[in-house]
C-alpha cells in the first residue's frame, strides 16, 4: 500500500506530472498525433480529396500517424558515407529535445507548476532558441549541397524572427509588470492580453509562424526548390524526429501564447483555481485553437522567397514589435493594469 | 536560286549553300524575325543532305501570314554549313538538334554537348536513311 | 530535363537547360509507319493538349490529299481543340501552383480537369488521347444531349475561375513571388522565337488562330489576350484569361454548329454500303478500305496550329508511298527552351521554380 501511495504521490507532484504527463510527454504524443492528422484532413477537405482514410476507417483515419510512426521505426536509417556521423545522429535528437524542454516552465494552474521561478516568461522562448542552431548543424553534417543551402536559409530566418519575438514578449512583460507566467495569467481576469496589446499579439503570432516553418514561411524545407532542405539525407526514425520537432515547438509556443495573450487557464473572464485538471484543459483548448489556426495556413498561402521573408521580418515585424513596446509603456503610464 | 509557290501562304526557295547567310540577312532586315524549324532531309542515293529553314515573322502583321522555306543541299559525306545563329537567335536549339540527329555540322554554333542523344551514343546519326531502327525481339 | 545553374551566393550568373532525357524518336518512327498509324504517335508527346497535335498533323496531311472537309466536321474539330486547350491551361496552372508552394491550387486545378475528361470520353471514347480527327473529317458525331452537358461543365469552370482568383491569383504571397520575376522584354521575345502565352505576355500580339485561321476560326469571335510586362505574373494572367476566351469560344461553337455530314464525301462514298448504313445510324465512323494504305500525292506540306502552349508546326515530305519520307514536328515547348537562358540571368535561386512553372514547359513535348 505504502509503495503505491508513494508512487502516486510522486507521479502527481508538479515536477513529475507536468513534464511527463500533462502537458508533457504523454500529452505531447497524443497532441502530435491529432495535430498532424488534423492538418492532413483539413488540407484534404479544402482541396477536394479525402486525406487519411483507411486506418481505422470509422473515425476517418485518425490513427494514421501511429501507422506512419511504426513504419518509420522499422525502416533502416541510412547514414551517408561522407557525413559527419556523430553530429548526423546527435543533432536531430538534440533538436527534438530543445523544442520539448520549455514545457517544464509552463504552469497549468496558479498553484501547479514544475518550475518555481520568477523568470518563466523569458525561460520558455529562451530555451526554444537553441533549436534552430541544431537545424544548422543538421544541414552542415549531411555533406550535401541542398542541405547546406537549407541550413543557411534556416540561419538567416532565425536571425529575423528571434528579435521581434523577444521584443514583443518584453512588451507584454512591461504591460503586466512581471516576468512570472502565473502572475501574468492571474492578472488577465479583466482584459485579455490580446485586447490590451494587439500589436504584440500579432507580432508574436507572425514570429510563431516563422519559427515553426508553417506556410508561408516554409522556406528552409522548400520542397520544390531544395528537395527537403536540411533534412534531405535523413530517413527512418531520425527523419521523424526532424519533422516532428517543428510541431512540438508549435505546441509549446501555442500554450505559451494562450497564457500570455489569451488569459491562460481562466476561461472567459473569471478565475478558476479549483484543481489542476480543469484549468489545464482550458489551457489546452486555447492552445488547440492557436495550433489549428497555424496549420490552416498551409491551404491558403504559397511560399515566400527567402529575401522577401527577411524583408517582412525586419521592415514590418521588427517595427511592429518596437511599436508594441511603446504601446505598453503608454498603457503602463496610464495605469491600466 | 529559285522560288516556287506551293500554296498561297507557303513559299519555297532553293538556294546555294554559299549564299544562305546573305539571303538570311536580307530577309532579317525585311522583317522575318524568327526561325520556325530547321530540318535535315537525307537523300541516300543522290549523296546529299538537304537542310531546310522555315522562317516567318511575329511582329510584322503582313509577313506573319507567310512561311518562307529556304532549302540548301550539302554533301552527305561532309555536311557542313554556316550557322544562322548570329542573324536569328531562335535557330539555336533546332540547329543543335539537327547536328545531333542528322550529323550536319553548323559552323558558328558554340561548342556544346549533345542535345537529344546520350553522350556516348554508338552508331551514326539516327535520322539518316542507313540507320535502321532495331525491333526488339526480331533484330536485336 | 536538367537545369544547371551557376550561382554566386544567391544570384544566378549562368544558366543552362539540358534537355533530351525523354527523347522517344517520334520523327524516326514516323518514317516506318503508315499515315494513319502516325495519328496516335504524334498525340503521345503532346499531353495534355492532344487534340491540337492531332489537328495539326491532319491539316498537313489533307493538303497532300486534296480533300474538302464538311463544315460540321470543322466545327467539331474546333470544339475538341478548345476543350483540350482548357485542359492544358489547367494542367499548367496546377503545376505552377505546386512549384511555388500552393498545394491548394495544384489539387483544385487537377480536380477540375475531370469534367472535361469525362466529356471527352463520352464523346470520343478515350479520356485523353482521343485520336479523334482523321483525314476527311472526324471519327464521331456528338452524342444526344451532349450540348447541355458541355454548357454545364463550362459554367462550372467559370465559377471555378473566380475561386482560383481568390485563392491564388490575387493572393499577396503569389503576387510578391511572381511580380517582376523572369522578365522577357518585348524586343527579345520575338527574336528568341518563344511562342504561345509566353509571347503574348511579353507584348507581341501573335496567335496562329488569327494570323492564318484554320478550321472555322475565321467565323467565330474571340479576343487576343496580350499583356505588356513580360514577367511571371503576366504569364499567369494571360493563361487564366485565355481559359475565359476558350469558354466563350465553346459557347459560340455550340451555338453555330451546322448540320450535315461529319466525314468528307470523297472518302465516304468508298465505304462499304452496309457499313455506311451503320455509320449513318450510330454516328460512329467506319473507315474505308483505302485508309489502311493511304498514298498522298508527292510533295511537301506544312501546317501550323495554336496548341495550348504555343504554336505547333508540322512539315511532311511525301514521296508518294504509304510512309512519309521525312516527318518533322516542332513543338511549342521546344521553342520555349531558349527562354530559360534569358529569363533567369540575375535572378535568385528561388526564382527557378517560379519561371519554370510560368513558362509551362513540358519535357516530353520538347524532346519528342
Amino acid at each position: 500500500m505504502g509503495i503505491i501511495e508513494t508512487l502516486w504521490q510522486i507521479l502527481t507532484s508538479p515536477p513529475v506530472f507536468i513534464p511527463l504527463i500533462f502537458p508533457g510527454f504523454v500529452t505531447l504524443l497524443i497532441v502530435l498525433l491529432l495535430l498532424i492528422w488534423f492538418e492532413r484532413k483539413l488540407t484534404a477537405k479544402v482541396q477536394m480529396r479525402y486525406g487519411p482514410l483507411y486506418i481505422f476507417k470509422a473515425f476517418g483515419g485518425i490513427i494514421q500517424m501511429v501507422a506512419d510512426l511504426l513504419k518509420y521505426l522499422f525502416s533502416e536509417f541510412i547514414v551517408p558515407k561522407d557525413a559527419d556521423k556523430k553530429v548526423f545522429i546527435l543533432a536531430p535528437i538534440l533538436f527534438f529535445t530543445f523544442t520539448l524542454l520549455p514545457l517544464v516552465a509552463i504552469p497549468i494552474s496558479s498553484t501547479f507548476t514544475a518550475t518555481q521561478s520568477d523568470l518563466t516568461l523569458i525561460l520558455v522562448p529562451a530555451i526554444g532558441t537553441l533549436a534552430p542552431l541544431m537545424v544548422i548543424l543538421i544541414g552542415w553534417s549531411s555533406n550535401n549541397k541542398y542541405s547546406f543551402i537549407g541550413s543557411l536559409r534556416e540561419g538567416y530566418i532565425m536571425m529575423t524572427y528571434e528579435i521581434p519575438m523577444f521584443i514583443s514578449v518584453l512588451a507584454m512583460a512591461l504591460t503586466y509588470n512581471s516576468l512570472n507566467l502565473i502572475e501574468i495569467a492571474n492578472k488577465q481576469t479583466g482584459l485579455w492580453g490580446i485586447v490590451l496589446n494587439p500589436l504584440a499579439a500579432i507580432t508574436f503570432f507572425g514570429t510563431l509562424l516563422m519559427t515553426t516553418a508553417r506556410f508561408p514561411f516554409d522556406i528552409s524545407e522548400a520542397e520544390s526548390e531544395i528537395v527537403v532542405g536540411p533534412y534531405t539525407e535523413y530517413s527512418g526514425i531520425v527523419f521523424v524526429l526532424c519533422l516532428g520537432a517543428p510541431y512540438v515547438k508549435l505546441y509549446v509556443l501555442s500554450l505559451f501564447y494562450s497564457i500570455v495573450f489569451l488569459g491562460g487557464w481562466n476561461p472567459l473572464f473569471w478565475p478558476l483555481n479549483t484543481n489542476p485538471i480543469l484549468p489545464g484543459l482550458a489551457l489546452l483548448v486555447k492552445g488547440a485553437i492557436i495550433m489549428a489556426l497555424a496549420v490552416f495556413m498551409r491551404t491558403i498561402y504559397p511560399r515566400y522567397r527567402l529575401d522577401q521573408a527577411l524583408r517582412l521580418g525586419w521592415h514590418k515585424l521588427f517595427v511592429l514589435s518596437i511599436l508594441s513596446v511603446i504601446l505598453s509603456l503608454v498603457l503602463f503610464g496610464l495605469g491600466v493594469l | 536560286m529559285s522560288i516556287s509557290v506551293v500554296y498561297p501562304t507557303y513559299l519555297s526557295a532553293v538556294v546555294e549553300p554559299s549564299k544562305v547567310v546573305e539571303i538570311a540577312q536580307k530577309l532579317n532586315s525585311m522583317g522575318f524575325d524568327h526561325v520556325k524549324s530547321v530540318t535535315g532531309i537525307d537523300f541516300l542515293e543522290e549523296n546529299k543532305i538537304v537542310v531546310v529553314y522555315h522562317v516567318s515573322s511575329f511582329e510584322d502583321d503582313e509577313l506573319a501570314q507567310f512561311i518562307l522555306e529556304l532549302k540548301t543541299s550539302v554533301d552527305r559525306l561532309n555536311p557542313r554549313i554556316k550557322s544562322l545563329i548570329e542573324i536569328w537567335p531562335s535557330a539555336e536549339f533546332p540547329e543543335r538538334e539537327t547536328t545531333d540527329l542528322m550529323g550536319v555540322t553548323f559552323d558558328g554554333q558554340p561548342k556544346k554537348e549533345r542535345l537529344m542523344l546520350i553522350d556516348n551514343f554508338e552508331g551514326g546519326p539516327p535520322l539518316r536513311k542507313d540507320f535502321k531502327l532495331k525491333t526488339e525481339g526480331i533484330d536485336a | 530535363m536538367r537545369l544547371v545553374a551557376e550561382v554566386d551566393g544567391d544570384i544566378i550568373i549562368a544558366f543552362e537547360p539540358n534537355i533530351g532525357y525523354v527523347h522517344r524518336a517520334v520523327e524516326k518512327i514516323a518514317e516506318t509507319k503508315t499515315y494513319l498509324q502516325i495519328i496516335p504517335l504524334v498525340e503521345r508527346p503532346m499531353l495534355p493538349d492532344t487534340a491540337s497535335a492531332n489537328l495539326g498533323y491532319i491539316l498537313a496531311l489533307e493538303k497532300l490529299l486534296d480533300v474538302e472537309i464538311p463544315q460540321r466536321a470543322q466545327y467539331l474539330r474546333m470544339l475538341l481543340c478548345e476543350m483540350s486547350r482548357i485542359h492544358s491551361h489547367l494542367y499548367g496552372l496546377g503545376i505552377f501552383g505546386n512549384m511555388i508552394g500552393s498545394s491548394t491550387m495544384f489539387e483544385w486545378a487537377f480536380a477540375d480537369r475531370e469534367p472535361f475528361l469525362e466529356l471527352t470520353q463520352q464523346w470520343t471514347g478515350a479520356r485523353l488521347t482521343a485520336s479523334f480527327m482523321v483525314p476527311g473529317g472526324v471519327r464521331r458525331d456528338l452524342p444526344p444531349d451532349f450540348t447541355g452537358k458541355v454548357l454545364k461543365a463550362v459554367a462550372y469552370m467559370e465559377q471555378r475561375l473566380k475561386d482560383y482568383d481568390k485563392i491564388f491569383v490575387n493572393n499577396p504571397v503569389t503576387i510578391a513571388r511572381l511580380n517582376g520575376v523572369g522578365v522577357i522584354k518585348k524586343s527579345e521575345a520575338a527574336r528568341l522565337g518563344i511562342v504561345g502565352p509566353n509571347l503574348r505576355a511579353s507584348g507581341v500580339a501573335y496567335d496562329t488562330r488569327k494570323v492564318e485561321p484554320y478550321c472555322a476560326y475565321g467565323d467565330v469571335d474571340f479576343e487576343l489576350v496580350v499583356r505588356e510586362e513580360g514577367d511571371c505574373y503576366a504569364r499567369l494572367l494571360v493563361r487564366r484569361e485565355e481559359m475565359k476566351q476558350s469558354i466563350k469560344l465553346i459557347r459560340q461553337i455550340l451555338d453555330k454548329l451546322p448540320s450535315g455530314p461529319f466525314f468528307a464525301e470523297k472518302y465516304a462514298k468508298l465505304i462499304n454500303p452496309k457499313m455506311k448504313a451503320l455509320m449513318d445510324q450510330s454516328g460512329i465512323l467506319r473507315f474505308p478500305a483505302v485508309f489502311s494504305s493511304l498514298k498522298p500525292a508527292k510533295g511537301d506540306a506544312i501546317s501550323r496550329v495554336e496548341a495550348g502552349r504555343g504554336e505547333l508546326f508540322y512539315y511532311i515530305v511525301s514521296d508518294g508511298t504509304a510512309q512519309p519520307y521525312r516527318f518533322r514536328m516542332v513543338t511549342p515547348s521546344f521553342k520555349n527552351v531558349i527562354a530559360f537562358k534569358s529569363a533567369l540571368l540575375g535572378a535568385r535561386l528561388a526564382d527557378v521554380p517560379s519561371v519554370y512553372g510560368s513558362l509551362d514547359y513540358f519535357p516530353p513535348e520538347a524532346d519528342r
Side-chain angles (χ1 to χ4, degrees):
Chain A
M1 264 318 142
I3 296 184
I4 298 184
E5 231 177 73
T6 332
L7 276 177
W8 181 254
Q9 286 276 21
I10 295 176
L11 201 61
T12 52
S13 68
V16 175
F17 190 73
I18 287 190
L20 200 57
I21 301 188
F22 180 90
F25 202 60
V26 172
T27 317
L28 170 74
L29 287 180
I30 298 177
V31 164
L32 221 56
L33 181 104
L34 289 176
L35 178 65
I36 300 183
W37 172 82
F38 179 71
E39 176 176 12
R40 287 166 69 165
K41 204 73 180 171
L42 180 68
T43 314
K45 280 273 182 288
V46 172
Q47 293 174 358
M48 304 202 286
R49 53 190 175 91
Y50 285 117
L53 185 65
Y54 289 108
I55 318 268
F56 210 36
K57 201 162 181 179
F59 279 91
I62 203 164
I63 52 172
Q64 173 76 32
M65 296 318 295
V66 175
D68 284 344
L69 185 63
L70 282 177
K71 181 198 86 154
Y72 276 114
L73 271 178
F74 289 116
S75 66
E76 173 191 5
F77 79 83
I78 302 172
V79 181
K81 191 175 62 157
D82 297 328
D84 192 345
K85 192 161 176 169
K86 291 197 202 52
V87 182
F88 192 81
I89 300 179
L90 261 181
I93 302 176
L94 283 177
F95 183 33
F96 196 80
T97 315
F98 284 135
T99 52
L100 184 55
L101 219 44
L103 276 176
V104 300
I106 294 189
I108 56 176
S109 130
S110 6
T111 51
F112 205 87
T113 171
T115 322
Q116 308 281 358
S117 155
D118 264 340
L119 297 173
T120 43
L121 180 70
I122 300 190
L123 202 57
V124 172
I127 303 181
T129 316
L130 288 170
L133 297 175
M134 294 301 117
V135 175
I136 299 181
L137 274 184
I138 286 175
W140 179 258
S141 69
S142 300
N143 196 12
N144 175 344
K145 64 176 172 272
Y146 296 110
S147 312
F148 182 60
I149 298 181
S151 66
L152 277 182
R153 288 186 178 192
E154 181 66 35
Y156 276 115
I157 285 261
M158 179 182 94
M159 289 294 149
T160 314
Y161 65 69
E162 293 294 343
I163 298 182
M165 184 187 260
F166 276 96
I167 297 184
S168 51
V169 166
L170 169 69
M172 293 320 288
L174 282 175
T175 312
Y176 297 122
N177 197 19
S178 151
L179 287 175
N180 190 342
L181 279 176
I182 298 183
E183 281 179 33
I184 288 180
N186 285 339
K187 278 196 185 170
Q188 290 182 60
T189 51
L191 281 174
W192 278 359
I194 197 170
V195 175
L196 276 178
N197 197 342
L199 292 178
I202 296 174
T203 314
F204 194 83
F205 191 69
T207 57
L208 185 141
L209 287 179
M210 283 175 108
T211 174
T212 54
R214 298 294 103 214
F215 279 81
F217 303 108
D218 185 34
I219 297 168
S220 71
E221 332 170 337
E223 203 184 295
S224 53
E225 300 166 23
I226 44 175
V227 201
V228 198
Y231 319 124
T232 312
E233 297 284 350
Y234 282 82
S235 50
I237 189 63
V238 277
F239 187 61
V240 172
L241 287 179
C242 285
L243 283 194
Y247 285 99
V248 175
K249 199 164 188 193
L250 178 62
Y251 172 60
V252 170
L253 284 179
S254 308
L255 290 178
F256 181 72
Y257 193 91
S258 19
I259 294 182
V260 176
F261 292 101
L262 295 182
W265 48 83
N266 299 313
L268 301 180
F269 296 106
W270 59 87
L272 196 75
N273 292 342
T274 47
N275 54 44
I277 302 297
L278 231 45
L281 276 178
L283 187 63
L284 195 62
V285 164
K286 288 184 193 174
I289 297 177
I290 301 294
M291 287 194 281
L293 198 60
V295 299
F296 184 61
M297 297 287 174
R298 172 184 283 268
T299 57
I300 307 177
Y301 290 110
R303 187 184 301 129
Y304 265 124
R305 218 170 52 197
L306 180 68
D307 58 311
Q308 289 166 345
L310 294 181
R311 210 166 288 141
L312 193 91
W314 285 109
H315 287 204
K316 305 223 167 72
L317 286 180
F318 183 60
V319 169
L320 264 184
S321 60
I322 303 275
L323 287 176
S324 73
V325 170
I326 297 178
L327 181 60
S328 284
L329 287 174
V330 164
L331 283 179
F332 188 63
L334 291 178
V336 169
L337 254 186
Chain B
M1 147 160 144
S2 62
I3 307 189
S4 56
V5 176
V6 183
Y7 33 89
T9 52
Y10 175 21
L11 307 162
S12 176
V14 181
V15 298
E16 285 126 56
S18 51
K19 295 248 181 64
V20 170
V21 180
E22 186 191 318
I23 293 179
Q25 270 162 349
K26 222 202 238 118
L27 287 174
N28 189 20
S29 58
M30 266 172 65
F32 287 96
D33 49 26
H34 70 283
V35 168
K36 283 211 190 296
S37 112
V38 179
T39 317
I41 315 180
D42 186 26
F43 290 98
L44 186 53
E45 318 78 40
E46 299 162 40
N47 210 14
K48 68 176 183 183
I49 293 183
V50 174
V51 177
V52 185
Y53 284 86
H54 286 99
V55 295
S56 178
S57 171
F58 277 142
E59 302 192 285
D60 190 326
D61 286 329
E62 211 191 294
L63 290 177
Q65 303 169 34
F66 298 99
I67 295 187
L68 182 58
E69 182 182 84
L70 292 174
K71 277 190 178 179
T72 61
S73 320
V74 290
D75 182 34
R76 194 170 182 275
L77 296 169
N78 185 13
R80 297 184 80 90
I81 188 173
K82 190 91 176 42
S83 162
L84 294 181
I85 199 175
E86 306 279 317
I87 308 168
W88 287 313
S90 48
E92 178 180 346
F93 277 89
E95 279 182 0
R96 280 178 68 189
E97 190 191 358
T98 315
T99 312
D100 211 11
L101 294 174
M102 193 58 107
V104 177
T105 316
F106 288 88
D107 297 319
Q109 277 273 359
K111 200 160 159 60
K112 285 200 188 134
E113 324 80 26
R114 282 185 170 247
L115 194 65
M116 300 291 186
L117 302 173
I118 52 176
D119 286 332
N120 49 356
F121 185 76
E122 288 158 7
L127 271 180
R128 292 203 182 173
K129 291 293 174 184
D130 50 2
F131 185 96
K132 289 284 179 250
L133 281 178
K134 295 194 183 58
T135 314
E136 218 171 299
I138 301 180
D139 318 309
Chain C
M1 66 171 337
R2 243 176 30 144
L3 299 169
V4 184
E6 202 177 308
V7 283
D8 174 19
D10 204 24
I11 311 283
I12 297 179
I13 49 179
F15 200 81
E16 190 61 45
N18 205 346
I19 69 174
Y21 287 89
V22 205
H23 180 63
R24 292 184 274 183
V26 166
E27 295 183 2
K28 181 76 180 175
I29 293 176
E31 291 176 11
T32 62
K33 301 270 179 216
T34 62
Y35 281 94
L36 213 62
Q37 287 175 322
I38 297 180
I39 294 178
L41 184 65
V42 293
E43 279 189 329
R44 290 321 189 256
M46 272 211 70
L47 306 171
D49 198 4
T50 52
S52 310
N54 195 349
L55 180 63
Y57 172 61
I58 295 296
L59 285 178
L61 188 56
E62 279 165 358
K63 290 188 176 129
L64 289 172
L65 290 174
D66 190 31
V67 54
E68 196 185 308
I69 317 294
Q71 273 291 90
R72 187 175 173 87
Q74 306 269 35
Y75 274 80
L76 289 177
R77 285 178 176 181
M78 269 171 48
L79 180 62
L80 190 66
C81 267
E82 291 304 316
M83 281 168 60
S84 201
R85 190 187 312 274
I86 295 182
H87 183 190
S88 169
H89 282 314
L90 277 174
Y91 189 95
L93 282 184
I95 299 286
F96 196 8
N98 196 23
M99 287 281 153
I100 58 175
S102 171
S103 53
T104 310
M105 182 68 211
F106 174 57
E107 299 284 349
W108 279 3
F110 272 62
D112 287 334
R113 291 157 56 228
E114 192 61 31
F116 294 99
L117 291 172
E118 258 306 307
L119 286 174
T120 312
Q121 182 180 26
Q122 285 179 10
W123 182 11
T124 67
R127 273 163 70 94
L128 193 54
T129 51
S131 299
F132 182 62
M133 302 169 210
V134 290
V138 296
R139 262 197 315 118
R140 284 196 195 187
D141 207 345
L142 293 179
D145 65 73
F146 191 69
T147 314
K149 290 187 207 167
V150 174
L151 289 174
K152 236 181 16 176
V154 160
Y156 168 76
M157 197 65 233
E158 261 184 333
Q159 197 51 42
R160 292 298 284 166
L161 279 178
K162 296 199 189 101
D163 286 337
Y164 294 166
D165 278 346
K166 280 189 229 159
I167 198 83
F168 188 63
V169 182
N170 295 336
N171 194 329
V173 181
T174 310
I175 297 180
R177 197 69 201 269
L178 300 180
N179 223 351
V181 168
V183 177
I184 301 179
K185 294 191 275 285
K186 182 171 176 177
S187 53
E188 270 182 54
R191 308 280 314 155
L192 287 176
I194 60 178
V195 288
N198 307 328
L199 183 65
R200 293 193 276 280
S202 291
V204 180
Y206 179 87
D207 186 330
T208 317
R209 296 174 286 174
K210 293 263 192 214
V211 166
E212 195 184 322
Y214 50 91
C215 282
Y217 277 110
D219 299 333
V220 288
D221 165 52
F222 65 101
E223 297 170 13
L224 266 191
V225 184
V226 179
R227 295 194 75 89
E228 301 293 326
E229 304 93 29
D231 59 1
C232 292
Y233 196 57
R235 294 193 268 271
L236 174 67
L237 289 177
V238 166
R239 289 208 166 82
R240 186 203 158 280
E241 200 54 44
E242 277 194 4
M243 277 208 277
K244 269 184 148 167
Q245 293 296 322
S246 283
I247 294 175
K248 185 172 155 190
L249 266 172
I250 289 180
R251 289 201 172 114
Q252 279 184 48
I253 292 170
L254 287 173
D255 215 10
K256 292 189 178 170
L257 190 60
S259 55
F262 60 91
F263 192 57
E265 193 51 39
K266 176 177 171 184
Y267 291 123
K269 63 178 191 253
L270 296 173
I271 306 179
N272 185 348
K274 239 195 303 194
M275 288 292 166
K276 185 111 194 326
L278 260 177
M279 180 174 126
D280 291 328
Q281 183 196 31
S282 66
I284 300 181
L285 178 68
R286 302 288 191 264
F287 285 174
V290 72
F291 269 10
S292 60
S293 64
L294 208 53
K295 291 194 175 63
K298 192 163 176 199
D300 303 347
I302 61 175
S303 77
R304 45 177 170 162
V305 295
E306 182 80 15
R309 297 194 176 96
E311 186 187 58
L312 176 59
F313 178 79
Y314 282 91
Y315 174 47
I316 307 180
V317 176
S318 150
D319 58 352
T321 60
Q323 282 125 3
Y325 191 77
R326 177 76 170 98
F327 179 81
R328 180 89 173 117
M329 173 180 170
V330 181
T331 46
S333 286
F334 186 61
K335 295 209 197 115
N336 283 336
V337 181
I338 202 165
F340 277 107
K341 290 175 35 166
S342 63
L344 276 169
L345 284 180
R348 293 177 175 271
L349 189 61
D351 288 331
V352 174
S354 310
V355 173
Y356 182 98
S358 76
L359 289 177
D360 203 2
Y361 177 78
F362 193 64
E365 185 183 88
D367 299 341
R368 282 152 288 137

